[in-house]
Amino acid sequence: MIPRYGRRFRQAKLPALNMLAALAVTGVAGAAPANAIPAEPSGSHPATPVTVAGKATQPASGERRMNTGAERRTNDWAEEKLRGMTLEQKVGQLFVTWVNGQRADEAHPKNKEDFGVDTPAQVVRKYHLGGVIYFNNESRDNIDSPKQIAELSNGLQKAATGAGARVPLTVATDQEGGTITRIEAPATELPGAMALGAGRGAAQANQSARISGHELRAMGINQNFAPDADVNSNPLNPIIGVRSFSSDPQLAGQMVDAQVRGYQDSAEPTETTSAAAKHFPGHGDADTDSHTGLPQIDRTAEQWRQLDKPPFQAAVDAGVENIMSAHIKFPKLDPSGEPATLSRPILTGLLREELGYNGVVSTDSLSMEGVREMHPDAEIPVLALKAGVDQLVMPVNLDVAKNSVLKAVRSGELTEQRIDKSVLRLLKLKAKRGVVAKPFADVDAVDEKVGNEQNLADAQRIADRTTTVLRNDENALPLEEKPGSVLVTGWEDTSRGVPVPENLAKHIGDRVPNTKALTTGAEPSDERINQAVSAAKGVDTVVAVVGQSADDPAQHKLIDRLQATGKRVITVVAEVPYDAGYLNSAKTMLASYGYNAPTLEAATKVIFGEASPQGKLPVEVPDGNNPDQVRFPFGHGLSW
């Protein structure tokens, strides 16, 4: 997402700040540490209207902006806390890292390998960490159930508030919705950004963020690295795609505004999360995945202001508390060739000065190759701080990263005042978001708050607005009569291990019991295609799934072969809608922009006539073989 060794300040004992003394662990889930900042009394300051779909509306019950008194108490606490911290504690506050395991005090062998200690709690104490981030992949699996997540969060907060500077953690994850969902069912799954863009409802985008933010906070997660503010202007972008709301800067900005307010302002601070607009200055035109290389964006500065800047400006104007940097080169914004994460002209000159942003700046993961291509790991944190970063996320080697910052301070390469500036921003963020007042989750309330019936129903209503019908040449949709048998076949997202046809078949099977699934994989072989064609001949209707097919002509061949059977074939473009530009033979085609449960249910409702399609393309879809020609224009979408 560092300087000369300064003296250690003793804890100031100013009379006006006695109530904001060092935090003490209570050990009671949901309780505030002793002498923490008191919560602002309900009704003590007026609610602030939220702009949704261009209209000023009254905020949801409990929504608040900090008044002058609350802001003063936050600033006083943060400044006093800073004065009582050692240099090592301050530097620790700058870092966010992964931890291994699902229990704070349970030993995990990878913690020894990564950090030299056994448990996640020991990682927090060893490094005086400012934050942790949760994942659900094989190598860093922190997630089993909502209650388990809450217990893990509480255990880590107990470690943070019980030692060292006694400052609670930012507990983060990437819960964007759609394909980037770290915490799946039984938590509420929600449509992704491009699906929301297709739905054109800022109110629904706001509600989606509100549901997600409230559930995350119930599990002890107080910082969400979302929404994605990138304008996806490159159809071949390998890493953003459906994570972006739109290729239109104004539509993307409207959705970003709504989601920032949904995450941050939809209830009291202790019930919501910080939002993070990413990836500044804009990753939408990239043709390289910054996880594996360093993309270069060749737009002019004026083009950047017209295309990439508006959603980030919308986030700033909405009061976003966090902006994440991108590991991209943008020569017209900074001719040095440094990635934006390490660029002072971009992070300070543009973000701080031109956009007027005063909140926390985080790096994207420092384990990604995009930021590591030009510098060794020991230099990257120092360069990032010089550029204007506050929060250093997931360095490859935390020992190396932290020691490099300490060495830079002690050598005078960076001043301790520069460290103080970032630490103060982070402390204020924690206080403002209610993490100081209420660091612990209420484990007993998790089941009531996470994945409840109301949230699930609202998520489905949001998803029902998003399905986009691209072609209906043969008037096959909606199905006037339920077919006697259905085959669901096609693409599987092997990168995430999601058998999309099998999942879609479950939804269709609720309507047509004689439904079977045949997954052909991400790159179907001729043998697999032949099997699908043979199976298609024995059913009334075929539903064929396509995903990420730009570089996979075998998927296009599968659709051609299925169409040639003469059967009724309904093609579901289940990921980026750009795939539709390659499917010349498909006569009946819809875009779902994702494949989680509410999204697939929404597509199924459209197929069976249970809902009218409302989605409109939030991007322009070019012809796959002739990119200069538009196959489906922005705003296209059939309805009935």
Side-chain angles (χ1 to χ4, degrees):
M1 318 190 254
I2 274 197
R4 190 180 186 91
Y5 186 69
R7 64 187 178 90
R8 297 184 178 182
F9 294 99
R10 294 184 178 180
Q11 183 76 21
K13 295 297 181 182
L14 303 179
L17 298 178
N18 284 341
M19 62 183 293
L20 306 178
L23 304 176
V25 176
T26 66
V28 178
N35 300 319
I37 296 178
E40 189 69 15
S42 179
S44 61
H45 46 284
T48 302
V50 177
T51 300
V52 176
K55 299 177 181 179
T57 64
Q58 288 302 312
S61 176
E63 181 175 343
R64 299 289 184 264
R65 295 288 187 183
M66 292 184 72
N67 69 5
T68 304
E71 185 173 1
R72 182 174 63 252
R73 287 192 294 276
T74 291
N75 292 343
D76 288 348
W77 174 83
E79 289 166 4
E80 180 177 3
K81 177 58 68 175
L82 180 68
R83 285 193 290 271
M85 295 172 70
T86 67
L87 176 62
E88 186 170 348
Q89 289 167 350
K90 293 177 186 178
V91 172
Q93 284 294 304
L94 304 177
F95 286 96
V96 174
T97 188
W98 69 87
V99 290
N100 301 292
Q102 298 178 352
R103 305 286 173 188
D105 293 316
E106 188 172 275
H108 191 290
K110 290 202 70 176
N111 286 321
K112 182 72 76 172
E113 178 183 336
D114 293 344
F115 308 109
V117 295
D118 293 317
T119 71
Q122 289 172 341
V123 177
V124 170
R125 288 191 290 265
K126 175 179 178 178
Y127 294 98
H128 305 285
L129 280 180
V132 295
I133 182 169
Y134 292 163
F135 288 92
N136 64 344
N137 54 41
E138 291 182 1
S139 60
R140 296 164 186 162
D141 185 9
N142 306 119
I143 293 165
D144 178 51
S145 71
K147 271 194 172 182
Q148 168 268 321
I149 297 168
E151 290 169 349
L152 172 61
S153 300
N154 285 353
L156 296 176
Q157 292 290 21
K158 183 178 180 181
T161 57
R166 300 178 181 269
V167 176
L169 300 161
T170 57
V171 180
T173 196
D174 298 277
Q175 191 83 345
E176 297 176 17
T179 57
I180 306 298
T181 298
R182 304 300 187 208
I183 305 170
E184 300 173 337
T188 303
E189 294 184 311
L190 292 149
M194 192 168 285
L196 294 171
R200 295 295 199 277
Q204 286 72 35
N206 178 277
Q207 184 180 30
S208 178
R210 184 186 314 164
I211 292 169
S212 181
H214 291 189
E215 291 197 3
L216 289 174
R217 192 58 182 266
M219 293 180 278
I221 297 169
N222 52 58
Q223 182 179 36
N224 190 19
F225 289 131
D228 192 308
D230 300 310
V231 175
N232 200 74
S233 54
N234 182 359
L236 298 178
N237 192 316
I239 191 59
I240 302 302
V242 291
R243 299 169 64 190
S244 165
F245 291 104
S246 178
S247 61
D248 177 74
Q250 282 66 46
L251 177 57
Q254 184 183 41
M255 296 293 171
V256 167
D257 172 278
Q259 288 225 307
V260 168
R261 297 177 191 274
Y263 284 124
Q264 296 185 173
D265 299 334
S266 55
E268 295 295 340
T270 54
E271 299 173 13
T272 54
T273 66
S274 296
K278 60 188 184 184
H279 310 80
F280 190 82
H283 211 303
D285 196 38
D287 59 7
T288 302
D289 182 351
S290 53
H291 290 83
T292 58
L294 179 57
Q296 178 166 313
I297 309 297
D298 290 319
R299 286 179 175 153
T300 66
E302 184 55 35
Q303 289 171 329
W304 172 79
R305 290 183 173 90
Q306 292 175 353
L307 296 173
D308 297 298
K309 176 182 173 180
F312 290 100
Q313 188 69 68
V316 172
D317 293 345
V320 73
E321 293 175 352
N322 191 199
I323 290 181
M324 177 181 283
S325 67
H327 304 327
I328 57 172
K329 288 194 295 185
F330 215 129
K332 297 299 192 298
L333 301 183
D334 180 359
S336 72
E338 290 285 1
T341 297
L342 309 181
S343 168
R344 186 169 180 82
I346 291 175
L347 295 187
T348 298
L350 292 180
L351 181 55
R352 296 282 189 207
E353 296 171 5
E354 183 169 325
L355 273 71
Y357 177 63
N358 294 313
V360 170
V361 175
S362 301
T363 69
D364 204 344
S365 168
L366 297 180
S367 300
M368 294 164 61
E369 290 303 315
V371 76
R372 302 176 69 205
E373 190 169 287
M374 298 176 62
H375 301 281
D377 291 330
E379 292 181 5
I380 291 169
V382 178
L383 293 172
L385 288 167
K386 288 181 177 180
V389 163
D390 302 302
Q391 192 176 54
L392 300 156
V393 180
M394 294 176 59
V396 175
N397 185 310
L398 188 53
D399 274 314
V400 169
K402 185 176 180 183
N403 287 332
S404 72
V405 176
L406 288 169
K407 180 180 178 182
V409 175
R410 289 164 180 158
S411 70
E413 184 178 358
L414 289 179
T415 65
E416 189 164 355
Q417 287 71 29
R418 169 65 191 88
I419 303 300
D420 289 352
K421 182 179 292 187
S422 287
V423 175
L424 195 60
R425 284 196 186 103
L426 291 161
L427 293 173
K428 289 179 180 179
L429 171 68
K430 293 176 181 184
K432 180 181 178 182
R433 191 45 46 197
V435 183
V436 176
K438 188 180 178 182
F440 301 105
D442 183 351
V443 175
D444 293 334
V446 169
D447 288 342
E448 174 186 338
K449 293 182 177 181
V450 178
N452 59 51
E453 289 185 8
Q454 185 63 57
N455 287 353
L456 294 173
D458 288 341
Q460 191 58 60
R461 280 190 286 270
I462 293 168
D464 287 346
R465 295 173 52 97
T466 65
T467 304
T468 304
V469 175
L470 301 174
R471 294 184 70 173
N472 194 25
D473 297 5
E474 299 172 337
N475 292 319
L477 297 179
L479 297 178
E480 294 183 357
E481 297 181 1
K482 290 183 179 179
S485 56
V486 177
L487 170 69
V488 186
T489 188
W491 174 72
E492 172 186 17
D493 188 348
T494 53
S495 66
R496 294 186 174 91
V498 181
V500 184
E502 293 180 14
N503 292 350
L504 179 56
K506 295 175 183 176
H507 295 269
I508 294 175
D510 290 339
R511 282 87 171 169
V512 180
N514 188 11
T515 297
K516 57 184 178 181
L518 176 62
T519 300
T520 57
E523 300 177 4
S525 64
D526 286 343
E527 179 183 3
R528 205 67 174 150
I529 291 173
N530 289 336
Q531 290 174 350
V533 169
S534 177
K537 293 176 180 178
V539 299
D540 297 333
T541 299
V542 178
V543 178
V545 179
V546 175
Q548 301 175 1
S549 72
D551 296 324
D552 184 17
Q555 288 193 57
H556 313 153
K557 181 179 179 181
L558 171 65
I559 301 301
D560 293 341
R561 292 282 307 280
L562 290 171
Q563 289 286 164
T565 65
K567 296 291 184 177
R568 177 169 53 195
V569 179
I570 301 167
T571 300
V572 177
V573 178
E575 227 261 3
V576 288
Y578 308 111
D579 285 342
Y582 298 89
L583 304 177
N584 299 323
S585 65
K587 305 301 182 186
T588 305
M589 182 162 48
L590 54 84
S592 64
Y593 311 97
Y595 44 76
N596 63 16
T599 303
L600 294 180
E601 177 67 10
T604 303
K605 286 183 174 183
V606 168
I607 291 171
F608 284 91
E610 299 168 17
S612 297
Q614 300 180 57
K616 305 296 181 184
L617 278 173
V619 296
E620 185 178 85
V621 175
D623 186 299
N625 298 314
N626 187 0
D628 293 331
Q629 299 296 317
V630 176
R631 176 72 65 87
F632 300 103
F634 179 92
H636 173 73
L638 305 177
S639 192
W640 47 78

